[in-house]
Amino acid sequence: MNEPRWLSPDEMRAWLGYRRLRNLLDARIARDLTEDAGLSEQDYDVMSNLSACEGRRTGVGDLAARLRWSHSRLSHHLTRMEKRGLVAREEHPGDARGAIAALTPAGWAALREAAPGHVASVREHLMDVLTPEQVRVLGDVAEAVLARLGQRT
Amino acid sequence: MNEPRWLSPDEMRAWLGYRRLRNLLDARIARDLTEDAGLSEQDYDVMSNLSACEGRRTGVGDLAARLRWSHSRLSHHLTRMEKRGLVAREEHPGDARGAIAALTPAGWAALREAAPGHVASVREHLMDVLTPEQVRVLGDVAEAVLARLGQRT
DNA sequence: ACCAGGTATGTGACACGTCAACTAACGGGT
DNA sequence: ACCCGTTAGTTGACGTGTCACATACCTGGT
């Protein structure tokens, strides 16, 4: 690798814009969520995935796969959420290695309470600022990049 | 707020895609950078900003503004980078409150060494996967959202 | 000269994520 | 029945980011 192909002005604008977007948009949406529901985005992701499962519970490994999180990350996060009473760990019947993560009634209530505000926050700061065409392209971009990284859609 | 306007399928796709993109793309690019240069993306951002300043040094507050970082975040990060010899703090002549962050020769060398590989990584995982039109729209999206958040371009 | 309020920066506690190492249990071949 | 490799999940150390607070210094009105 002698002379690298530097980024074009458009590419540089997109890259720096993306980095800045990531920093500021996420900070803002996270702050909204924390302030009106006392949850982090991670909490929300975990709980909304659990809420979509049979009986609002599923295996820890399965949950990690849905979230595309490392097992370690999820394990640490479940420990923190368990302390706050949002989720509970249960034994896996039939495979003593396995563990089940279950949404507690308190967690389920917190999620339902947080959802409308969270959606409104995403709308206000992101969707309502974009044209439908831009929304579509953003989805395409994510899909293309993730496909290249070898992930499922 | 009674019935929230939920996200449309396109919006949901864009939002979840964005979240997943953020997790996976950044992890990948960060890993590349760490492996071939021993730097984090944050290190790279700090150093590339410093390298664009007069004398490769500037006030800590000014640097925080360029990066759109909180002062606290930058202060913590400078402390860590200082330990590794990448930057140095200097006194501000004329205002004893102020501090100057300066790129050390070692930091400057590390940055020049890291740059080509980092650019290649961004190309490989992001730019080369997108059409020029998608790159342009991504830049537009970032600009629109950041403008709404009250930030400068 | 003094002090009130603002400015520039640092620090400590804690939440979050990664990596690597660890424990425990399953399961197939002998 | 007993290994051995694989699988599921946890843990500890450490880097990173936030918030709240502390500190030091400047500056303008009195």
Side-chain angles (χ1 to χ4, degrees), chain A residues 21-49:
Chain A
L21 185 66
R22 173 189 191 247
N23 287 335
L24 297 178
L25 178 64
D26 291 0
R28 180 54 188 266
I29 290 180
R31 224 157 57 83
D32 287 352
L33 188 54
T34 301
E35 282 174 6
D36 58 70
L39 299 175
S40 67
E41 286 190 282
Q42 296 87 339
D43 298 334
Y44 191 93
D45 288 343
V46 166
M47 295 200 294
S48 65
N49 265 279

mmCIF file of all heavy atoms in Angstrom, chain A residues 21-49:
data_model
loop_
_atom_site.group_PDB
_atom_site.id
_atom_site.type_symbol
_atom_site.label_atom_id
_atom_site.label_comp_id
_atom_site.label_asym_id
_atom_site.label_seq_id
_atom_site.Cartn_x
_atom_site.Cartn_y
_atom_site.Cartn_z
ATOM 1 N N LEU A 21 -23.153 12.482 13.446
ATOM 2 C CA LEU A 21 -24.531 12.053 13.632
ATOM 3 C C LEU A 21 -24.604 11.042 14.761
ATOM 4 O O LEU A 21 -25.429 11.119 15.659
ATOM 5 C CB LEU A 21 -25.027 11.400 12.349
ATOM 6 C CG LEU A 21 -26.494 10.995 12.329
ATOM 7 C CD1 LEU A 21 -27.356 12.234 12.396
ATOM 8 C CD2 LEU A 21 -26.811 10.201 11.081
ATOM 9 N N ARG A 22 -23.735 10.104 14.684
ATOM 10 C CA ARG A 22 -23.698 9.043 15.668
ATOM 11 C C ARG A 22 -23.511 9.633 17.064
ATOM 12 O O ARG A 22 -24.217 9.280 18.002
ATOM 13 C CB ARG A 22 -22.532 8.124 15.313
ATOM 14 C CG ARG A 22 -22.257 7.074 16.339
ATOM 15 C CD ARG A 22 -20.949 6.369 15.977
ATOM 16 N NE ARG A 22 -20.809 5.196 16.789
ATOM 17 C CZ ARG A 22 -19.884 5.027 17.722
ATOM 18 N NH1 ARG A 22 -19.003 5.987 17.957
ATOM 19 N NH2 ARG A 22 -19.826 3.926 18.406
ATOM 20 N N ASN A 23 -22.588 10.539 17.200
ATOM 21 C CA ASN A 23 -22.334 11.123 18.517
ATOM 22 C C ASN A 23 -23.517 11.922 19.032
ATOM 23 O O ASN A 23 -23.954 11.731 20.159
ATOM 24 C CB ASN A 23 -21.108 12.034 18.478
ATOM 25 C CG ASN A 23 -19.814 11.249 18.378
ATOM 26 O OD1 ASN A 23 -19.748 10.085 18.785
ATOM 27 N ND2 ASN A 23 -18.791 11.858 17.812
ATOM 28 N N LEU A 24 -24.032 12.814 18.183
ATOM 29 C CA LEU A 24 -25.022 13.750 18.693
ATOM 30 C C LEU A 24 -26.440 13.209 18.701
ATOM 31 O O LEU A 24 -27.167 13.394 19.665
ATOM 32 C CB LEU A 24 -24.956 15.050 17.889
ATOM 33 C CG LEU A 24 -23.609 15.771 18.028
ATOM 34 C CD1 LEU A 24 -23.591 17.025 17.181
ATOM 35 C CD2 LEU A 24 -23.314 16.094 19.480
ATOM 36 N N LEU A 25 -26.832 12.529 17.652
ATOM 37 C CA LEU A 25 -28.199 12.009 17.606
ATOM 38 C C LEU A 25 -28.422 10.976 18.699
ATOM 39 O O LEU A 25 -29.408 11.022 19.430
ATOM 40 C CB LEU A 25 -28.477 11.389 16.235
ATOM 41 C CG LEU A 25 -29.864 10.763 16.088
ATOM 42 C CD1 LEU A 25 -30.959 11.822 16.222
ATOM 43 C CD2 LEU A 25 -29.995 10.030 14.764
ATOM 44 N N ASP A 26 -27.481 10.069 18.827
ATOM 45 C CA ASP A 26 -27.652 9.036 19.836
ATOM 46 C C ASP A 26 -27.647 9.622 21.238
ATOM 47 O O ASP A 26 -28.416 9.210 22.101
ATOM 48 C CB ASP A 26 -26.571 7.965 19.693
ATOM 49 C CG ASP A 26 -26.762 7.160 18.411
ATOM 50 O OD1 ASP A 26 -27.718 7.441 17.668
ATOM 51 O OD2 ASP A 26 -25.956 6.257 18.145
ATOM 52 N N ALA A 27 -26.778 10.604 21.441
ATOM 53 C CA ALA A 27 -26.738 11.230 22.757
ATOM 54 C C ALA A 27 -28.087 11.868 23.060
ATOM 55 O O ALA A 27 -28.620 11.742 24.168
ATOM 56 C CB ALA A 27 -25.635 12.283 22.814
ATOM 57 N N ARG A 28 -28.656 12.520 22.059
ATOM 58 C CA ARG A 28 -29.902 13.212 22.276
ATOM 59 C C ARG A 28 -31.058 12.259 22.543
ATOM 60 O O ARG A 28 -31.843 12.433 23.474
ATOM 61 C CB ARG A 28 -30.219 14.087 21.058
ATOM 62 C CG ARG A 28 -31.491 14.852 21.191
ATOM 63 C CD ARG A 28 -31.444 15.664 22.488
ATOM 64 N NE ARG A 28 -32.725 16.285 22.753
ATOM 65 C CZ ARG A 28 -33.028 17.527 22.379
ATOM 66 N NH1 ARG A 28 -32.143 18.261 21.745
ATOM 67 N NH2 ARG A 28 -34.206 18.028 22.646
ATOM 68 N N ILE A 29 -31.168 11.241 21.714
ATOM 69 C CA ILE A 29 -32.258 10.289 21.881
ATOM 70 C C ILE A 29 -32.109 9.523 23.194
ATOM 71 O O ILE A 29 -33.071 9.273 23.912
ATOM 72 C CB ILE A 29 -32.332 9.357 20.660
ATOM 73 C CG1 ILE A 29 -32.820 10.168 19.449
ATOM 74 C CG2 ILE A 29 -33.256 8.172 20.920
ATOM 75 C CD1 ILE A 29 -32.954 9.393 18.169
ATOM 76 N N ALA A 30 -30.884 9.196 23.534
ATOM 77 C CA ALA A 30 -30.640 8.497 24.795
ATOM 78 C C ALA A 30 -31.041 9.375 25.976
ATOM 79 O O ALA A 30 -31.624 8.892 26.943
ATOM 80 C CB ALA A 30 -29.176 8.100 24.904
ATOM 81 N N ARG A 31 -30.738 10.654 25.861
ATOM 82 C CA ARG A 31 -31.072 11.552 26.960
ATOM 83 C C ARG A 31 -32.583 11.665 27.142
ATOM 84 O O ARG A 31 -33.090 11.618 28.261
ATOM 85 C CB ARG A 31 -30.466 12.929 26.707
ATOM 86 C CG ARG A 31 -29.821 13.528 27.944
ATOM 87 C CD ARG A 31 -28.785 14.564 27.575
ATOM 88 N NE ARG A 31 -29.370 15.623 26.764
ATOM 89 C CZ ARG A 31 -30.028 16.664 27.277
ATOM 90 N NH1 ARG A 31 -30.192 16.763 28.582
ATOM 91 N NH2 ARG A 31 -30.511 17.590 26.495
ATOM 92 N N ASP A 32 -33.297 11.795 26.014
ATOM 93 C CA ASP A 32 -34.754 11.842 26.093
ATOM 94 C C ASP A 32 -35.289 10.604 26.802
ATOM 95 O O ASP A 32 -36.139 10.684 27.685
ATOM 96 C CB ASP A 32 -35.369 11.886 24.679
ATOM 97 C CG ASP A 32 -35.188 13.245 24.004
ATOM 98 O OD1 ASP A 32 -34.732 14.196 24.672
ATOM 99 O OD2 ASP A 32 -35.485 13.347 22.802
ATOM 100 N N LEU A 33 -34.766 9.461 26.397
ATOM 101 C CA LEU A 33 -35.266 8.206 26.949
ATOM 102 C C LEU A 33 -34.968 8.096 28.440
ATOM 103 O O LEU A 33 -35.799 7.661 29.237
ATOM 104 C CB LEU A 33 -34.632 7.043 26.181
ATOM 105 C CG LEU A 33 -35.140 5.635 26.448
ATOM 106 C CD1 LEU A 33 -36.645 5.546 26.265
ATOM 107 C CD2 LEU A 33 -34.437 4.644 25.534
ATOM 108 N N THR A 34 -33.780 8.499 28.821
ATOM 109 C CA THR A 34 -33.406 8.451 30.233
ATOM 110 C C THR A 34 -34.283 9.380 31.053
ATOM 111 O O THR A 34 -34.748 9.023 32.130
ATOM 112 C CB THR A 34 -31.943 8.896 30.409
ATOM 113 O OG1 THR A 34 -31.119 8.029 29.647
ATOM 114 C CG2 THR A 34 -31.538 8.823 31.872
ATOM 115 N N GLU A 35 -34.507 10.571 30.487
ATOM 116 C CA GLU A 35 -35.262 11.541 31.264
ATOM 117 C C GLU A 35 -36.711 11.151 31.440
ATOM 118 O O GLU A 35 -37.261 11.282 32.518
ATOM 119 C CB GLU A 35 -35.160 12.934 30.636
ATOM 120 C CG GLU A 35 -33.816 13.563 30.964
ATOM 121 C CD GLU A 35 -33.604 14.879 30.237
ATOM 122 O OE1 GLU A 35 -34.539 15.352 29.565
ATOM 123 O OE2 GLU A 35 -32.479 15.420 30.343
ATOM 124 N N ASP A 36 -37.356 10.661 30.360
ATOM 125 C CA ASP A 36 -38.750 10.377 30.639
ATOM 126 C C ASP A 36 -39.080 8.952 31.005
ATOM 127 O O ASP A 36 -40.196 8.688 31.420
ATOM 128 C CB ASP A 36 -39.744 11.004 29.634
ATOM 129 C CG ASP A 36 -39.562 10.610 28.216
ATOM 130 O OD1 ASP A 36 -39.843 9.443 27.888
ATOM 131 O OD2 ASP A 36 -39.176 11.484 27.438
ATOM 132 N N ALA A 37 -38.105 8.054 30.947
ATOM 133 C CA ALA A 37 -38.455 6.692 31.351
ATOM 134 C C ALA A 37 -37.397 6.039 32.240
ATOM 135 O O ALA A 37 -37.592 4.935 32.729
ATOM 136 C CB ALA A 37 -38.702 5.837 30.117
ATOM 137 N N GLY A 38 -36.290 6.706 32.445
ATOM 138 C CA GLY A 38 -35.244 6.116 33.274
ATOM 139 C C GLY A 38 -34.597 4.898 32.655
ATOM 140 O O GLY A 38 -34.025 4.051 33.349
ATOM 141 N N LEU A 39 -34.669 4.801 31.317
ATOM 142 C CA LEU A 39 -34.073 3.647 30.633
ATOM 143 C C LEU A 39 -32.962 4.113 29.699
ATOM 144 O O LEU A 39 -32.995 5.237 29.207
ATOM 145 C CB LEU A 39 -35.128 2.937 29.786
ATOM 146 C CG LEU A 39 -36.339 2.364 30.518
ATOM 147 C CD1 LEU A 39 -37.324 1.806 29.510
ATOM 148 C CD2 LEU A 39 -35.901 1.284 31.507
ATOM 149 N N SER A 40 -31.998 3.243 29.436
ATOM 150 C CA SER A 40 -31.015 3.517 28.397
ATOM 151 C C SER A 40 -31.523 2.887 27.105
ATOM 152 O O SER A 40 -32.438 2.067 27.113
ATOM 153 C CB SER A 40 -29.662 2.928 28.776
ATOM 154 O OG SER A 40 -29.739 1.521 28.776
ATOM 155 N N GLU A 41 -30.911 3.248 25.995
ATOM 156 C CA GLU A 41 -31.300 2.645 24.723
ATOM 157 C C GLU A 41 -31.071 1.144 24.758
ATOM 158 O O GLU A 41 -31.814 0.375 24.158
ATOM 159 C CB GLU A 41 -30.453 3.223 23.589
ATOM 160 C CG GLU A 41 -30.835 4.624 23.216
ATOM 161 C CD GLU A 41 -30.124 5.020 21.933
ATOM 162 O OE1 GLU A 41 -28.921 5.349 21.998
ATOM 163 O OE2 GLU A 41 -30.767 4.981 20.882
ATOM 164 N N GLN A 42 -30.012 0.750 25.426
ATOM 165 C CA GLN A 42 -29.708 -0.670 25.535
ATOM 166 C C GLN A 42 -30.805 -1.396 26.295
ATOM 167 O O GLN A 42 -31.236 -2.479 25.899
ATOM 168 C CB GLN A 42 -28.363 -0.858 26.249
ATOM 169 C CG GLN A 42 -27.168 -0.303 25.509
ATOM 170 C CD GLN A 42 -26.919 1.156 25.815
ATOM 171 O OE1 GLN A 42 -27.809 1.871 26.255
ATOM 172 N NE2 GLN A 42 -25.714 1.625 25.587
ATOM 173 N N ASP A 43 -31.236 -0.799 27.397
ATOM 174 C CA ASP A 43 -32.335 -1.386 28.141
ATOM 175 C C ASP A 43 -33.537 -1.560 27.215
ATOM 176 O O ASP A 43 -34.189 -2.611 27.193
ATOM 177 C CB ASP A 43 -32.782 -0.463 29.286
ATOM 178 C CG ASP A 43 -31.690 -0.219 30.318
ATOM 179 O OD1 ASP A 43 -30.800 -1.074 30.463
ATOM 180 O OD2 ASP A 43 -31.728 0.835 30.977
ATOM 181 N N TYR A 44 -33.810 -0.503 26.468
ATOM 182 C CA TYR A 44 -34.972 -0.516 25.581
ATOM 183 C C TYR A 44 -34.846 -1.621 24.542
ATOM 184 O O TYR A 44 -35.808 -2.344 24.267
ATOM 185 C CB TYR A 44 -35.116 0.854 24.906
ATOM 186 C CG TYR A 44 -36.431 1.033 24.183
ATOM 187 C CD1 TYR A 44 -37.523 1.612 24.816
ATOM 188 C CD2 TYR A 44 -36.570 0.609 22.867
ATOM 189 C CE1 TYR A 44 -38.730 1.769 24.156
ATOM 190 C CE2 TYR A 44 -37.774 0.760 22.192
ATOM 191 C CZ TYR A 44 -38.857 1.337 22.839
ATOM 192 O OH TYR A 44 -40.047 1.483 22.173
ATOM 193 N N ASP A 45 -33.667 -1.744 23.964
ATOM 194 C CA ASP A 45 -33.451 -2.779 22.952
ATOM 195 C C ASP A 45 -33.674 -4.171 23.536
ATOM 196 O O ASP A 45 -34.327 -5.020 22.939
ATOM 197 C CB ASP A 45 -32.028 -2.691 22.395
ATOM 198 C CG ASP A 45 -31.848 -1.476 21.501
ATOM 199 O OD1 ASP A 45 -32.859 -0.894 21.061
ATOM 200 O OD2 ASP A 45 -30.691 -1.108 21.235
ATOM 201 N N VAL A 46 -33.094 -4.404 24.703
ATOM 202 C CA VAL A 46 -33.240 -5.710 25.340
ATOM 203 C C VAL A 46 -34.713 -5.995 25.610
ATOM 204 O O VAL A 46 -35.238 -7.056 25.255
ATOM 205 C CB VAL A 46 -32.466 -5.763 26.678
ATOM 206 C CG1 VAL A 46 -32.874 -6.978 27.501
ATOM 207 C CG2 VAL A 46 -30.959 -5.787 26.416
ATOM 208 N N MET A 47 -35.377 -5.028 26.180
ATOM 209 C CA MET A 47 -36.766 -5.268 26.568
ATOM 210 C C MET A 47 -37.677 -5.375 25.363
ATOM 211 O O MET A 47 -38.602 -6.186 25.367
ATOM 212 C CB MET A 47 -37.224 -4.167 27.514
ATOM 213 C CG MET A 47 -36.446 -4.222 28.818
ATOM 214 S SD MET A 47 -37.288 -3.377 30.171
ATOM 215 C CE MET A 47 -37.226 -1.723 29.599
ATOM 216 N N SER A 48 -37.441 -4.596 24.331
ATOM 217 C CA SER A 48 -38.356 -4.700 23.199
ATOM 218 C C SER A 48 -38.153 -6.018 22.469
ATOM 219 O O SER A 48 -39.106 -6.610 21.965
ATOM 220 C CB SER A 48 -38.244 -3.492 22.262
ATOM 221 O OG SER A 48 -36.983 -3.458 21.660
ATOM 222 N N ASN A 49 -36.926 -6.517 22.462
ATOM 223 C CA ASN A 49 -36.729 -7.847 21.891
ATOM 224 C C ASN A 49 -37.413 -8.918 22.728
ATOM 225 O O ASN A 49 -38.080 -9.795 22.194
ATOM 226 C CB ASN A 49 -35.236 -8.166 21.765
ATOM 227 C CG ASN A 49 -34.698 -7.843 20.386
ATOM 228 O OD1 ASN A 49 -34.848 -8.620 19.459
ATOM 229 N ND2 ASN A 49 -34.115 -6.662 20.242
#
